[in-house]
């Protein structure tokens, strides 16, 4: 079925043998598994682009998701000619940029959490905001081992039980 009142309405698949330009939205609706696909056959690189131009109150930018030669997914900042994120086929993610930071914000009044570990082990976890506001906590083996409050001198607590000996060594050389 094709309708042409104010454009084209296709039921089924629309194949275009060259470039196609759409002046409004492309929407995929219906049941489950709806897709918008960028596909390349052979040794080419599929790309999905997001571009804003001629913005008056918004920043113009050109971003793309690219599939690399080895299967790595790249988030490219084409305006700055820079790769901002890459995820390889084993799941390793690399963030790149001048800021060199990753921000984890909790928006529902719970702590922000970063978990590190293997899928078969208990994860190590770094949290902020679970004991008090602006705190930093380190968990291993499922329990908190270190908590640093916003006033770290009076709030540095070690949670490992047992007797501990602190050994401080120093070396001084020279002439007195």
């Amino acid at each position: 079925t094709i309708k042409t009142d104010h454009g084209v309405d296709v039921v089924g698949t629309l194949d275009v043998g060259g470039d196609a330009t759409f002046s409004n939205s492309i929407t995929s609706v219906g049941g489950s598994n709806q897709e918008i696909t960028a596909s390349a056959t052979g040794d080419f690189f599929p790309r999905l682009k997001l571009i804003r131009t001629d913005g008056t109150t918004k920043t113009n930018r050109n971003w793309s998701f690219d599939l690399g030669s080895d299967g790595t997914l790249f988030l490219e900042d084409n305006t700055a000619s820079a790769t901002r994120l890459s995820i390889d086929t084993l799941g390793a993610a690399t963030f790149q940029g001048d800021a060199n930071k990753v921000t984890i914000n909790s928006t529902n009044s719970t702590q922000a959490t970063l978990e590190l570990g293997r899928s078969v082990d208990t994860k190590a976890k770094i949290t902020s905001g679970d004991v008090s506001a602006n705190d930093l906590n380190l968990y291993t083996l499922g329990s908190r081992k270190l908590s640093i409050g916003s006033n770290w001198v009076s709030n540095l607590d070690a949670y490992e039980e047992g007797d501990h000996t602190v050994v401080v060594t120093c070396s001084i050389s020279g002439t007195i």
Side-chain angles (χ1 to χ4, degrees):
T1 304
I2 296 180
K3 299 177 185 176
T4 58
D5 293 334
H6 297 287
V8 177
D9 185 1
V10 176
V11 175
T13 301
L14 172 64
D15 288 321
V16 178
D19 292 340
T21 300
F22 298 90
S23 60
N24 287 316
S25 299
I26 298 175
T27 305
S28 178
V29 296
S32 63
N33 301 323
Q34 296 301 305
E35 298 177 355
I36 296 176
T37 303
S39 178
T41 302
D43 291 336
F44 298 100
F45 303 97
R47 171 177 290 151
L48 183 60
K49 283 189 149 191
L50 302 168
I51 301 170
R52 179 187 296 123
T53 58
D54 300 326
T56 56
T57 61
K58 308 291 185 221
T59 302
N60 295 327
R61 211 67 188 178
N62 179 331
W63 291 89
S64 65
F65 290 98
D66 299 349
L67 185 60
S69 297
D70 64 354
T72 298
L73 175 66
F74 295 97
L75 175 59
E76 300 285 345
D77 179 351
N78 298 308
T79 304
S81 298
T83 299
R84 298 301 185 198
L85 170 66
S86 60
I87 304 171
D88 71 16
T89 57
L90 298 176
T94 302
F95 294 89
Q96 301 172 61
D98 294 337
N100 289 324
K101 72 175 187 176
V102 175
T103 302
I104 301 172
N105 288 324
S106 173
T107 59
N108 64 357
S109 299
T110 61
Q111 77 272 5
T113 301
L114 172 63
E115 288 188 350
L116 306 168
R118 302 181 311 172
S119 61
V120 298
D121 297 329
T122 301
K123 307 288 187 291
K125 145 172 110 163
I126 300 170
T127 65
S128 178
D130 61 331
V131 175
S132 63
N134 302 313
D135 66 353
L136 178 68
N137 301 283
L138 175 63
Y139 292 76
T140 60
L141 299 173
S143 62
R144 188 171 59 236
K145 302 297 182 184
L146 180 66
S147 182
I148 302 172
S150 57
N151 179 1
W152 73 272
V153 173
S154 62
N155 292 313
L156 181 60
D157 298 317
Y159 285 88
E160 187 66 37
E161 296 180 10
D163 295 328
H164 301 281
T165 302
V166 176
V167 178
V168 178
T169 60
C170 65
S171 171
I172 300 174
S173 61
T175 305
I176 297 179

